[in-house]
Amino acid sequence: IPLFIHPARKERKRKEHTQVQCEFTPDYQKRRKGREERDAAMMGMGGAGMEFPTVHGLGYSWTQAADTVTITVDARGSALNKRVISAEIKRSKVKAGLKGQEPFLEGNLMGKVSSDDSYWQIDTNEGKPCIVLHLEKEEGGFWPGLFSEEPKVMPVKDPLLLRQAAIGEMQQHNLKSACDLFKQAAELNDAQSALFMGQASRPDMADNLPVEKDFHLAFKYLKIAADQGLYEAMVQVGSMLKEGTGCEKNGKEAAEYLKKAADAMPTKSDAMLALAKLYNEGCEPDLPADKDKAFGYFSMAGEKGCGQSALGAGMIKAEKGDWEEAKKWLLRASQLDGSVKDAANKMLVSIEKQQEENRKKWVKRGVLATAAIGAVAVGAFTVMHLAKKR
């Protein structure tokens, strides 16, 4: 009875045998050596075999080495098994998706691959199901891109995938496409994308990003990020609420956002400085100035190395007439930050002058007081003397 061998197993054995044979033939070794030398020249990275960074597209990512390309296709949350997957790897085209549905990804490749030596498998990426295509290049070398033309991609509603695709477009300097993807992710409440869009939308930000410049739009996106606890967004939202930039002025809300930021990142001084300025100046009509709270936040930020905060603490102490404490903070400010050194030194000189004037006044008062006491004593002595004569 002839031994039955499954066709798939027979094909796998044939490939393994062929691979083992070709790896040890002189022609194969010669071709591989030439390919590695060509790869080294093309890549300019010190030799073939080096892997390139992962590039993210919309719903997929890919990376390459000298001989291979690996494509990871997100399954959009679908449960995967080999019976439901429809994947094709042709010499210059790939497709991956589910049977009977629009493919997740389909496109013409930038270069040629060996379909016999390429394969696909089911895997997970960051806990999400995906289809991974392992492609073997026919000729080694650097691919400037994955597809020769725009691939067909199933619409994506996952903000993380949209953000990853936006980063991939940024890496390839496709700014318009990147900003559009960041905007879509921000509209789906992705905090990092909202922070990006908020900062990019500010008219006072000097950049060349192709987005609408509007403070109201910037505040909208930054608030999305701030409400999810991003430090930079909370500081910017607090400052905008204090000034009424892109929103209605609201001192109490500004203080809440800045306090949350200061509590979230106690090692940073930006939020503490902004909060100290808010309490120092007040925000009418709902937040009156509070010099004690202002000094508290100025001093905390000053102790963390913020020169502006040390200057603020010194000025508050000077206003209250606590000259020695003021000099301590002003001296610290001049040592910490060159940008406030002149202001701190001027304040120190002013305090020294004020102290000198005060000393002169007290000396003068002391002399007058001594003279007055002496006059009183002489008068008393004269009266007593006259009384004795009588």
Side-chain angles (χ1 to χ4, degrees), residues 233-243 250 253-255 257-258:
M234 289 190 287
V235 173
Q236 292 187 57
V237 166
S239 300
M240 293 174 84
L241 284 165
K242 172 181 177 286
E243 301 295 337
N250 191 316
E253 279 194 33
Y257 276 106
L258 292 172

Side-chain angles (χ1 to χ4, degrees), residues 73-80 98 104 127-130 154 158 161:
V73 184
D74 183 77
R76 315 300 196 272
S78 303
L80 297 180
L98 301 180
F104 299 139
K128 297 180 180 181
C130 61
M154 181 183 284
D158 185 334
L161 295 178

Side-chain angles (χ1 to χ4, degrees), residues 232-292:
E232 296 86 350
M234 289 190 287
V235 173
Q236 292 187 57
V237 166
S239 300
M240 293 174 84
L241 284 165
K242 172 181 177 286
E243 301 295 337
T245 306
C247 58
E248 290 187 9
K249 187 180 286 190
N250 191 316
K252 287 185 177 179
E253 279 194 33
E256 288 177 6
Y257 276 106
L258 292 172
K259 190 172 186 311
K260 285 179 183 177
D263 292 341
M265 297 289 286
T267 57
K268 291 191 174 184
S269 60
D270 303 32
M272 292 179 189
L273 175 59
L275 196 54
K277 288 181 177 179
L278 176 64
Y279 281 120
N280 189 44
E281 300 166 9
C283 185
E284 297 297 338
D286 60 336
L287 190 74
D290 188 330
K291 298 293 183 179
D292 291 335

Side-chain angles (χ1 to χ4, degrees), residues 370-384:
T370 303
I373 292 169
V376 170
V378 170
F381 178 80
T382 303
V383 170
M384 290 173 63

Side-chain angles (χ1 to χ4, degrees), residues 24 119 177 189 197 228 259 288 309 331 338 343 348 372:
F24 290 95
Y119 63 95
S177 177
N189 293 325
M197 287 302 299
Q228 297 182 56
K259 190 172 186 311
S309 298
L331 184 60
L348 284 167

Side-chain angles (χ1 to χ4, degrees), residues 14-33 35 114 117 136:
R14 184 190 67 77
K15 288 181 180 179
E16 290 174 355
H17 178 67
T18 303
Q19 186 176 6
V20 169
Q21 279 189 324
C22 71
E23 283 182 353
F24 290 95
T25 58
D27 288 343
Y28 176 84
Q29 295 292 342
K30 184 178 180 181
R31 287 197 306 273
R32 185 175 182 86
K33 183 178 179 181
R35 185 167 61 185
S114 172
D117 297 325
E136 188 76 22

